[in-house]
Amino acid sequence: MNTEPHPPRDDEGSTGPADAAGVDGDTDPVAEEQERVRAETVRRLERSMGALGTAAVSRMEQRLGWFRRMSAQDRSWIGLVAQSGVAAFVDWFRNPVRGRPAITVEVFGTAPRELTRSVSLQQTVDMIRVVIDVVEGQVDELAAPGGAQQLREAVLRYTREVAFSSAKVYARAAEARGAWDARLEALIVDALLHGDHEDGLQTWGSALSWSHTPVIAVAGETGGEDPGKILDDLRAAARRFGHDVLAGAQGRRVVVVVGVGDRYPEEDLPAAAAEPLAGLFGPGPVVVGPAVADLRAAGASARAAVSGLRAAVAWPDAPRPVLADDLLPERALQGDTEARGQLVEEVYVPLLGAGSPLLDTLSVYLEHASSLEATARMLFVHPNTVRYRLSRIAELTGRTPSDGRGSFVLRVAVALGRLAQTHEG
């Protein structure tokens, strides 16, 4: 019996030298050549990194006017970012198997966060274009023979990642800035309403680039709608009109402080500035505080607007928006001491200073259902005398006794004035 083993057939595989060379020893000549070209290109890039960064900064100085106007410190930071970008590209090009480059950390991590305020996103795009032009202009010299296309494709891919990372950096900075601004706005609005930290208001306003005066406050309600959306809409609308704006939500109440500048006549200022914003509040009354000189004094306007918002329910037919000064009687009846004092100063004191005939005529006229004849009979004067005195009352107070709303304001003001006078006596 023949006990020698049979030679292996072709379909059973083989462990001979030929097969070993075919399985383990085969190499791809094309891949080897690409790696050799890549390695040589990397060596050339490493020798040229400093020159590329310097050339990029020099080209920026030539082509970008805003870059030349920057401070030396900011220009040096940008030069450092350019050098870091070139170095990160060479490192990534050396090891392509790493996948997408970590550009945000490797490149933008070298610059301070404040640089995003000095350089806009559009300016960053301009810088990226300049760097691309510099590198692409030297591809033939930088690449090893036969590697120009390989290097050019790598540059395009890398710069695309730089562009995406730039957008991400600015988006994160804008998100962080927006969140910080919103918190600071809410803090300022709260301080204005409570009369706290008035010395720091100008500093806080400067941090938000506040520059416009005079200032008004507008208060309304959310009406069940999303407060965040209402605040965003109000900010966007106010800024479209060129106003400075601070906005904060307090439960169902929304308060907006607006620096309106000089685009409105002084006599039309509060209502005209608030009119485009009123429709962005939720359902319900919208109350506008009086115009004040600056942000430091805006607390008075904000408190008047909020007081008017609370009292507006007593005047269902009030316009929208309505001035806080037009709600003085309702505010006074609700216990607003500032509204009481304002009514006395603006209505009762002028009438008292004009002499008793005007006050007596007004009292009798209001008590007799606004009847000229009845008032004349009670005072033993001619109806024309009553008419003249009523016109004088309107001139002094800005309120017309024969008007329904005017008579109500005058009645409350006279009552408050007499109470105050009695208390002082």
Side-chain angles (χ1 to χ4, degrees), residues 118-131:
S118 301
V119 182
S120 68
L121 180 58
Q122 180 60 49
Q123 291 170 339
T124 303
V125 172
D126 293 339
M127 288 192 299
I128 293 172
R129 287 173 177 167
V130 170
V131 175

Side-chain angles (χ1 to χ4, degrees), residues 142-323:
L142 294 171
Q149 183 63 26
Q150 182 186 58
L151 179 58
R152 188 172 287 107
E153 291 177 357
V155 169
L156 290 176
R157 180 182 174 190
Y158 190 80
T159 51
R160 181 190 66 182
E161 296 296 335
V162 169
F164 285 137
S165 295
S166 301
K168 184 183 295 184
V169 168
Y170 279 87
R172 288 177 178 174
E175 183 178 358
R177 172 75 182 182
W180 183 84
D181 285 355
R183 289 193 294 270
L184 183 56
E185 285 184 28
L187 177 63
I188 294 176
V189 170
D190 185 71
L192 290 173
L193 290 175
H194 293 88
D196 300 331
H197 309 294
E198 291 188 357
D199 292 337
L201 287 175
Q202 292 297 120
T203 302
W204 293 347
S206 298
L208 295 171
S209 302
W210 186 282
S211 61
H212 289 164
T213 56
V215 178
I216 65 169
V218 187
E221 295 185 350
T222 62
E225 299 183 14
D226 179 18
K229 181 180 182 305
I230 292 177
L231 292 177
D232 290 342
D233 291 344
L234 286 168
R235 291 188 186 103
R239 286 166 183 155
R240 279 199 302 272
F241 285 95
H243 304 327
D244 290 332
V245 59
L246 303 171
Q250 300 173 331
R252 293 174 56 87
R253 186 173 63 206
V254 175
V255 180
V256 182
V257 181
V258 184
V260 298
D262 56 359
R263 63 178 297 169
Y264 301 103
E266 184 176 353
E267 61 274 10
D268 299 334
L269 177 59
E275 184 70 34
L277 306 178
L280 301 176
F281 288 87
V286 175
V287 183
V288 188
V292 294
D294 53 28
L295 187 59
R296 185 190 299 271
S301 182
R303 289 190 292 272
V306 171
S307 173
L309 184 64
R310 289 195 296 262
V313 64
W315 187 13
D317 296 330
R320 190 176 191 265
V322 59
L323 299 181

